[in-house]
Amino acid sequence: MARELITLLSSREVDKMRRAGHLAGQLLHHLSTFVKPGVSTLELNDEAERWTQAHGAKSAPLGYGGDKDRPAFPRSICTSVNEVVCHGIPNAKEILKEGDIMNIDVTLIVDGYHGDTSKMFFVGEPAPVARKLVEVTNECRRLGIAAVKPNARVGDIGAVIQEYAEAQGFSVVQDFVGHGISNVFHTAPQIPHYGDRGKGLRLRPGMVFTIEPMINVGTWEVEIMADEWTALTLDRKLSAQAEHTIAVVEGGVEILTPYPGDDA
């Protein structure tokens, strides 16, 4: 099996990632005030695009991908509500209602470099199981980030996430993983949110990647809708996701996508 080609970013490149990441975090914070019952996911998308343009950035998801097997992503953000695991496409008919939970995933391009982050939002008051799911997902992300340091292994990240999620009675999605990111949106290494300690690629300063566990109430298995993007839980039970872009540094780890009130 061929080894992944890993690009180590220079301090100048990490600084560009930091600027893109901080702006992405600010966008998530801005959108938080618009998440309420009666708002459509398309309205959230349009506000995100307006804000992005006003701040001199570009949306990486808009027009991303696209080939003979799958159309390009048609919106500026991903909005994944309730049983949607990831890559939900904003639309005018999807109206948020009391008790929903939703992940908003944003990726901004600033000076050619990407800031990729996502956050869970409550629409009004969630059910107890939904609140617990989101709290566990946020803790999974925190634990995964805490496992990052020079000479650690990729498997250390997945192991701590999987152990905690399963101990809380939830499952970890295996079809989607974290990824390397720089002036390229998705690159090596892949960062599974499950696995074994001491296994996998050794982490080195200059690596930059996302940690974005997707945690489900029921089965970890997913189904892709006919739009070729939206992923649903196979059993249609709730799912949650939390994401940061991080850099491996000499002292351990730096979160490149912080936002106000974040406790990662």
Side-chain angles (χ1 to χ4, degrees), residues 22-242:
H22 281 231
L23 194 65
Q26 292 171 36
L27 172 56
L28 273 185
H29 182 65
H30 173 73
L31 292 176
S32 66
T33 61
F34 295 85
V35 177
K36 59 188 68 174
V39 172
S40 74
T41 53
L42 183 61
E43 289 177 275
L44 295 174
N45 174 86
D46 292 348
E47 178 58 26
E49 183 59 31
R50 184 203 65 77
W51 190 96
T52 297
Q53 292 184 13
H55 286 77
K58 290 177 60 178
S59 166
L62 183 61
Y64 178 78
D67 54 33
K68 63 182 179 63
D69 297 316
R70 183 167 70 166
F73 195 80
R75 303 291 187 222
S76 296
I77 62 175
C78 299
T79 51
S80 301
V81 181
N82 295 333
E83 72 275 13
V84 179
V85 176
C86 61
H87 304 156
I89 300 174
N91 69 87
K93 294 182 179 180
E94 185 174 45
I95 308 298
L96 299 179
K97 63 183 184 300
E98 179 75 22
D100 284 343
I101 61 172
M102 176 179 60
N103 179 272
I104 299 179
D105 191 340
V106 306
T107 306
L108 297 185
I109 304 174
V110 178
D111 195 19
Y113 285 76
H114 294 72
D116 187 2
T117 186
S118 80
K119 174 179 170 61
M120 292 300 299
F121 295 89
F122 297 130
V123 184
E125 183 61 30
V129 67
R131 181 176 293 278
K132 180 181 179 183
L133 173 67
V134 171
E135 291 172 349
V136 167
T137 302
N138 289 336
E139 180 65 4
C140 283
R141 182 187 62 179
R142 188 194 70 79
L143 290 169
I145 293 171
V148 174
K149 59 184 178 181
N151 294 317
R153 299 278 189 173
V154 166
D156 300 341
I157 300 169
V160 71
I161 290 171
Q162 184 176 20
E163 288 166 8
Y164 182 75
E166 292 180 354
Q168 298 298 315
F170 299 118
S171 64
V172 180
V173 171
Q174 298 184 19
D175 296 74
F176 302 99
V177 298
H179 55 89
I181 185 169
S182 57
N183 57 346
V184 179
F185 195 172
H186 295 91
T187 186
Q190 292 194 343
I191 309 295
H193 305 111
Y194 59 94
D196 300 312
R197 283 184 171 81
K199 302 290 187 180
L201 186 72
R202 192 179 298 278
L203 303 182
R204 297 168 58 192
M207 287 183 177
V208 175
F209 51 81
T210 68
I211 294 176
E212 47 183 300
M214 302 167 206
I215 309 300
N216 294 350
V217 167
T219 179
W220 60 265
E221 296 176 290
V222 306
E223 177 182 351
I224 307 299
M225 291 182 63
D227 62 25
E228 301 294 344
W229 282 103
T230 305
L232 302 171
T233 54
L234 190 61
D235 56 12
R236 301 301 191 264
K237 294 183 178 179
L238 294 176
S239 182
Q241 178 189 13

